[in-house]
Amino acid sequence: NIVVIVSSSPNTIKNIYDTLDSLLSQSFQSYRVELWLSEVEFKQSQGNNKLPKHIVDLQSKGLRICWTQCEPFSNCNILNAISKHYEDIVVTANENIVYYKTWLNDLYINFIKNKDKKIIYCHVMNKIKFDNENPITFAELLLNIEDTPSAKNFPINLYGVIYPPRCFYRDIDKFNIFM
């Protein structure tokens, strides 16, 4: 199973229709798209009544809306989604990008070419670099896009990241351990 996940916030939810529509209109076959939202952030406890109608209406095209109890401004929406789909291929997408029609297909084809199915694959990655013993700033890293495998690499979600099944520890959703 392949699941494409994207998260949003109350500040950006009105503007993600084109992103979601582009994800739902991919040429790739047999995948799901899920929008992950924080109930805490949206301050609601039932359903979709506070979401814009044009977003809710995308459910008829296959969008699944998922709610979490995450605190605002954390990555816990994405971590919850990865945990829920532990046995699936999870592809993360950015809420600010309109994806071209073959985006998912292109990402997946490059992923399956790799013999090691445990490697996290992405369109864009950076490598943690150091100035003396201190890591350089994220802004400086953005100028140093990498294309060679390394344990110091980290994926940039902007253009998509594929997380293979079981690539994280099973307790990825136990936020009290690491947050």
Side-chain angles (χ1 to χ4, degrees):
N1 292 329
I2 298 175
V3 183
V4 177
I5 59 172
V6 62
S7 65
S8 190
S9 69
N11 295 337
T12 58
I13 192 74
K14 292 181 210 154
N15 302 319
I16 67 165
Y17 178 87
D18 290 337
T19 296
L20 294 172
D21 189 51
S22 72
L23 292 172
L24 291 163
S25 302
Q26 292 291 301
S27 62
F28 193 83
Q29 300 297 311
S30 300
Y31 70 101
R32 292 189 317 272
V33 177
E34 295 181 352
L35 173 62
W36 283 74
L37 306 168
S38 167
E39 276 189 47
V40 174
E41 238 180 325
F42 281 85
K43 294 190 179 5
Q44 69 175 39
S45 60
Q46 295 182 353
N48 306 324
N49 59 0
K50 295 215 174 183
L51 295 179
K53 183 178 180 336
H54 65 285
I55 301 300
V56 174
D57 288 348
L58 285 173
Q59 291 178 107
S60 67
K61 290 182 78 175
L63 178 67
R64 182 164 180 236
I65 299 172
C66 305
W67 294 95
T68 69
Q69 295 299 316
C70 293
E71 292 299 320
F73 309 112
S74 73
N75 287 322
C76 117
N77 285 343
I78 299 293
L79 298 176
N80 274 324
I82 291 171
S83 175
K84 180 177 185 244
H85 297 292
Y86 191 73
E87 299 294 330
D88 300 325
I89 294 173
V90 175
V91 182
T92 58
N94 185 286
E95 67 184 336
N96 300 311
I97 301 289
V98 175
Y99 292 90
Y100 60 94
K101 192 135 186 92
T102 61
W103 165 79
L104 183 56
N105 189 64
D106 295 347
L107 195 61
Y108 183 73
I109 284 173
N110 284 302
F111 167 71
I112 61 172
K113 283 181 187 175
N114 191 331
K115 302 263 188 262
D116 183 356
K117 298 299 183 251
K118 295 271 186 201
I119 289 181
I120 295 169
Y121 186 84
C122 59
H123 276 304
V124 180
M125 68 181 159
N126 272 322
K127 182 182 283 184
I128 298 171
K129 296 187 178 180
F130 296 87
D131 179 12
N132 294 325
E133 292 184 19
N134 300 314
I136 64 174
T137 66
F138 187 73
E140 291 172 297
L141 287 176
L142 292 178
L143 302 174
N144 296 298
I145 304 302
E146 291 292 329
D147 63 356
T148 54
S150 168
K152 292 180 181 177
N153 288 349
F154 63 94
I156 303 297
N157 187 46
L158 192 60
Y159 298 110
V161 179
I162 290 186
Y163 295 96
R166 300 171 301 282
C167 70
F168 291 105
Y169 288 107
R170 189 72 179 134
D171 57 2
I172 188 173
D173 61 346
K174 293 185 175 60
F175 307 112
N176 60 328
I177 295 173
F178 61 88
M179 292 186 108

